[in-house]
Amino acid sequence: MGAYTAAYERSISDPTRFWGVAARDIRWRTPPDRVLDDGAPPFYRWFTGGELNTCENALDRHVEDGHGGRLALIYDSPVTGTRRSYTYRELTGEVALFAGALRALGVDRGDRVVLYLPMVPQAVIAMLACARLGAVHSTVFGGFAPKELAVRIDDARPKVVVSASCGIEGSRVVPYKPMLDAALELSAHQVNHCVILQRPEAPAPGGHAELTRPRDLDWDEAVTGAAPAECVPVAATDPLYILYTSGTTGRPKGVVRDNGGHAVALRWSMENVYGVGPGDVFWAASDVGWVVGHSYIVYAPLLTGCTTVLYEGKPVGTPDAGAFWRVASEHGVKAMFTAPTAIRAVKKEDPQAELLGAYDLSALETLFLAGERLDPDTYQWASRALDRPVIDHWWQTETGWPIVANPRGLEPMAVKPGSPSVPVPGYDVRVLAPDGREAEPGADGDIVIRLPLPPGTLPTLWQDDERFVQSYLTRYPGHYLTGDGGRIDEDGYVWVMGRTDDVINVAGHRLSTGVMEEVIAAHPAVAECAVIGVGDELKGQVPRGFVVLKSDAAIDAAQLRSELVGAVRRQVGPVASFKEVAIVPALPKTRSGKILRGTMRGLADGREVPVPSTIEDASVLDALRPILRPTT
Ligand code: COA
Ligand code: AMP
């Protein structure tokens, strides 16, 4: 039996022993009484009775173990022309100081802090400072508009928001402070303070964002004179962070991450999945606003004692399609992680990968890709260009670390292009048919995970156990519904074919079509609408809207389109990339009035989908066929 199969079987047959051993790599203030607390299914808790501090495990312990001089963080920002690195000792000092500043603003164990920050070291510092205090951070991606930020502020009810005067998107300066102010106008919850990192690139008067006194403080002002804060031990089951992710409705889901299970699972994943250990340089080219950023820019590399790279730039245009290779070569990156869409962007600009030749990539062993399906073309291109393993792996915000992967550290498996390979130890992955029976090998169905989920995965949704159970655990009792469809083949490889709900994936960014529909439906000329994700060569998927006008609507089609595109950009954010709207006479529906979004998606993807027998009027669907047909 290979190392993978042995580990996998142990993890499923005796999870307590398996994760109990893994937990030895974490420093506990109080060791757990129980590894797995399964007394109240469908809720499971890991490492109950244990106490630890995640920041201590990510920073202080490495300094105490004699690695204070090792690089913890390299900030590489082509958009500002800045490079800066922090040793473990320096980063610990900065984090302790900012934690002290937050404490002086009244932030304590269990309090929430919302972070709305670009890719700057202060984002990492602020996250770890919250962890140090036992406070709960909730990072909101900078590409979201004020309304989306406001919804998250209202749900998390933070005492403090930490933001910056601006972000930099390629060559464009995006002022963040006015968006934060607008969000705070919209939110019912009011925060005590906002800490604003003043960046020289902000366009506001004096080069800085205007502060609203006494609510707002400058970051530098906040840390001046602050007393460094010590690590506060918290329960393993206490929340470390809340990360909002798109569900099928307009209201985002607050995925909760605990402290203990998260530290154990992430630490384990670095060596076993990614094949990296202490002292190695790891680079996840993502954003701290997404789960990849939380897990693999910040927590996992630092828990492991690696050097992590924080890259403020794009795969192309900052300045060219060789940017990724430059960063990997300059910092001696051993394992790199990004989304397939980023590789497609590079491939489009530099199809022969000529720019790669200018860089010494001898340290780079593996390229990991996730966030959306890795299409075989992109896989082949990257494998040829890099001439080293390109590894697809599948996971989601809810799980926080890979569900299915090629466990490079444990035992490299043969790659089957199009499949992220095999279930990671801890995840009992199954494919179920609609009647709840297990699908035959090779047959499509819903991909589910048998409970309990391993450590590090979501224990619940923020203050909403009911929605947690309803969204994930009700469809197939005893199983977690991933929301993805696919199959498991004869060799045990999992094939993830796409979402079965109304979540779409645009350039590796997870978005809800429901939230866009809400914005469109609010337009006075719109009677009803549907938004679906359609295939896109670069971004994987892009949203496409279909609207039916009110009978008395007197608006020019071009004007309506531009108003709707503008409204989604303003209210959801530019990241939605909502640019296409079709005005149609009617939407296909079932007799009970449900819009047949799944059927529309199928036709837009160029699949021959059966017309549901419950359709109210098949001629409506027929009229849509030419509009839906894929153009790429
Ligand atoms: N703050 C403000 N605006 C942002 C933003 C941020 N943090 N991130 C993105 N945006 C804006 C972009 O500027 C763009 O605006 P535009 O419509 O005015 O051009 C819009 O949101 C869409 O952004 P994006 O999806 O990033 O598209 P792009 O065309 O700028 O770049 C790629 C395309 C493929 C290069 C880019 O999406 C990419 O690097 N993707 C990697 C994905 C990734 O890291 N995913 C995380 C999971 S691993
Ligand atoms: P997020 O929560 O933003 O990480 O998005 C998770 C979703 O992205 C999953 O449910 C999948 O639909 C998709 N996804 C992520 N990684 C992969 C992958 N390797 N293959 C296919 N789909 C993926």
Side-chain angles (χ1 to χ4, degrees):
M1 196 190 299
Y4 161 71
T5 309
Y8 185 77
E9 285 183 2
R10 274 202 318 276
S11 76
I12 301 300
S13 63
D14 192 356
T16 294
R17 191 169 150 60
F18 187 87
W19 293 111
V21 171
R24 292 184 199 146
D25 284 338
I26 294 302
R27 182 189 279 192
W28 299 89
R29 292 284 186 100
T30 311
D33 303 324
R34 295 187 69 176
V35 172
L36 171 61
D37 183 349
D38 54 1
F43 295 92
Y44 296 86
R45 296 288 181 265
W46 289 92
F47 307 109
T48 43
E51 283 197 321
L52 77 163
N53 182 281
T54 297
C55 178
E56 176 178 319
N57 274 281
L59 296 177
D60 305 56
R61 75 173 290 192
H62 302 306
V63 179
E64 287 161 27
D65 289 348
H67 307 301
R70 181 187 293 164
L71 286 188
L73 176 71
I74 298 172
Y75 167 56
D76 186 313
S77 168
V79 294
T80 58
T82 318
R83 266 170 237 182
R84 183 166 173 196
S85 48
Y86 297 76
T87 62
Y88 271 94
R89 185 173 299 105
E90 286 164 343
L91 194 58
T92 307
E94 300 255 355
V95 168
L97 213 54
F98 192 62
L102 287 176
R103 177 174 282 158
L105 296 177
V107 175
D108 244 315
R109 178 175 169 181
D111 291 336
R112 273 82 57 213
V113 177
V114 162
L115 311 178
Y116 187 58
L117 283 160
M119 287 287 285
V120 289
Q122 287 79 1
V124 179
I125 292 169
M127 286 164 86
L128 291 164
C130 291
R132 195 170 188 85
L133 297 175
V136 182
H137 60 74
S138 185
T139 306
V140 179
F141 178 62
F144 279 122
K147 182 162 171 280
E148 288 297 306
L149 176 58
V151 169
R152 288 154 175 80
I153 288 174
D154 272 336
D155 199 68
R157 287 178 289 108
K159 270 195 178 160
V160 170
V161 177
V162 183
S163 188
S165 53
C166 67
I168 298 150
E169 272 293 296
S171 57
R172 192 159 53 96
V173 174
V174 181
Y176 274 33
K177 179 63 170 39
M179 291 200 279
L180 170 60
D181 288 341
L184 289 171
E185 290 276 311
L186 291 170
S187 67
H189 174 78
Q190 287 308 307
V191 301
N192 297 352
H193 292 286
C194 298
V195 180
I196 308 296
L197 174 75
Q198 297 281 15
R199 307 188 76 191
E201 297 81 9
H208 284 154
E210 271 186 286
L211 302 184
T212 315
R213 305 288 185 180
R215 190 195 67 191
D216 299 343
L217 284 96
D218 181 313
W219 175 290
D220 292 338
E221 187 182 12
V223 291
T224 304
E230 289 311 306
C231 295
V232 175
V234 297
T237 51
D238 277 350
L240 169 68
Y241 69 75
I242 309 164
L243 178 55
Y244 289 90
T245 190
S246 302
T248 49
T249 68
R251 202 159 61 88
K253 292 169 167 164
V255 168
V256 174
R257 194 80 59 213
D258 66 7
N259 275 273
H262 172 254
V264 172
L266 259 53
R267 176 70 187 84
W268 184 91
S269 73
M270 285 301 272
E271 247 141 332
N272 290 283
V273 176
Y274 296 98
V276 295
D280 288 336
V281 183
F282 189 82
W283 176 29
S286 175
D287 188 288
V288 286
W290 304 112
V291 69
V292 177
H294 282 62
S295 295
Y296 293 105
I297 295 175
V298 184
Y299 287 110
L302 296 177
L303 286 164
T304 307
C306 294
T307 301
T308 186
V309 180
L310 182 78
Y311 173 68
E312 189 183 28
K314 294 259 173 188
V316 294
T318 59
D320 57 30
F324 273 9
W325 320 133
R326 181 209 37 96
V327 174
S329 135
E330 220 163 277
H331 305 302
V333 171
K334 181 173 174 186
M336 176 181 170
F337 179 165
T338 191
T341 187
I343 300 298
R344 287 196 295 270
V346 172
K347 172 178 150 207
K348 193 168 164 213
E349 296 270 305
D350 182 19
Q352 304 306 321
E354 281 161 14
L355 295 170
L356 199 148
Y359 301 101
D360 171 10
L361 289 178
S362 50
L364 185 67
E365 285 185 1
T366 323
L367 171 66
F368 290 91
L369 296 172
E372 55 174 321
R373 182 161 182 270
L374 173 58
D375 52 288
D377 274 0
T378 305
Y379 165 77
Q380 301 292 3
W381 184 86
S383 303
R384 263 200 312 274
L386 284 167
D387 193 24
R388 41 180 66 69
V390 172
I391 302 299
D392 183 13
H393 59 323
W394 170 63
W395 50 296
Q396 40 186 219
T397 306
E398 287 85 344
T399 65
W401 62 289
I403 308 167
V404 169
N406 196 319
R408 300 294 301 173
L410 196 54
E411 183 190 351
M413 318 280 288
V415 168
K416 293 194 189 187
S419 161
S421 301
V422 293
V424 171
Y427 291 97
D428 190 349
V429 180
R430 311 281 174 112
V431 171
L432 301 184
D435 64 3
R437 266 186 259 172
E438 213 161 318
E440 293 296 318
D444 283 333
D446 284 321
I447 311 183
V448 300
I449 305 164
R450 248 171 86 106
L451 300 179
L453 293 173
T457 56
L458 81 172
T460 188
L461 292 175
W462 178 245
Q463 297 195 326
D464 205 344
D465 285 350
E466 203 180 306
R467 190 174 182 202
F468 170 62
V469 173
Q470 191 55 39
S471 311
Y472 301 108
L473 308 178
T474 303
R475 175 71 183 86
Y476 299 107
H479 299 81
Y480 164 86
L481 183 71
T482 65
D484 281 294
R487 56 182 180 274
I488 302 180
D489 71 15
E490 302 277 355
D491 301 324
Y493 278 57
V494 181
W495 297 75
V496 183
M497 304 317 288
R499 299 286 305 193
T500 54
D501 54 17
D502 297 324
V503 166
I504 59 170
N505 207 304
V506 181
H509 309 316
R510 173 166 160 185
L511 298 163
S512 142
T513 52
V515 80
M516 295 180 227
E517 287 181 2
E518 273 179 23
V519 173
I520 295 169
H523 191 286
V526 172
E528 59 180 349
C529 68
V531 175
I532 59 169
V534 299
D536 181 79
E537 248 175 46
L538 176 65
K539 298 196 177 196
Q541 278 186 306
V542 288
R544 195 163 168 211
F546 297 84
V547 299
V548 179
L549 297 186
K550 285 183 183 156
S551 54
D552 59 352
I555 186 166
D556 166 67
Q559 174 69 20
L560 176 68
R561 277 194 199 100
S562 121
E563 286 181 16
L564 294 177
V565 167
V568 173
R569 190 177 171 91
R570 264 191 322 277
Q571 294 185 49
V572 181
V575 69
S577 294
F578 180 76
K579 300 202 167 123
E580 288 180 55
V581 190
I583 297 168
V584 296
L587 291 168
K589 289 185 189 162
T590 61
R591 280 189 286 275
S592 59
K594 202 167 163 283
I595 297 172
L596 290 165
R597 292 182 180 78
T599 312
M600 289 170 71
R601 269 202 309 268
L603 292 174
D605 284 345
R607 278 184 279 126
E608 254 327 300
V609 283
V611 177
S613 57
T614 52
I615 196 163
E616 187 190 29
D617 179 354
S619 69
V620 173
L621 187 64
D622 289 337
L624 271 190
R625 281 177 195 272
I627 304 172
L628 282 165
R629 199 168 295 138
T631 48
T632 53

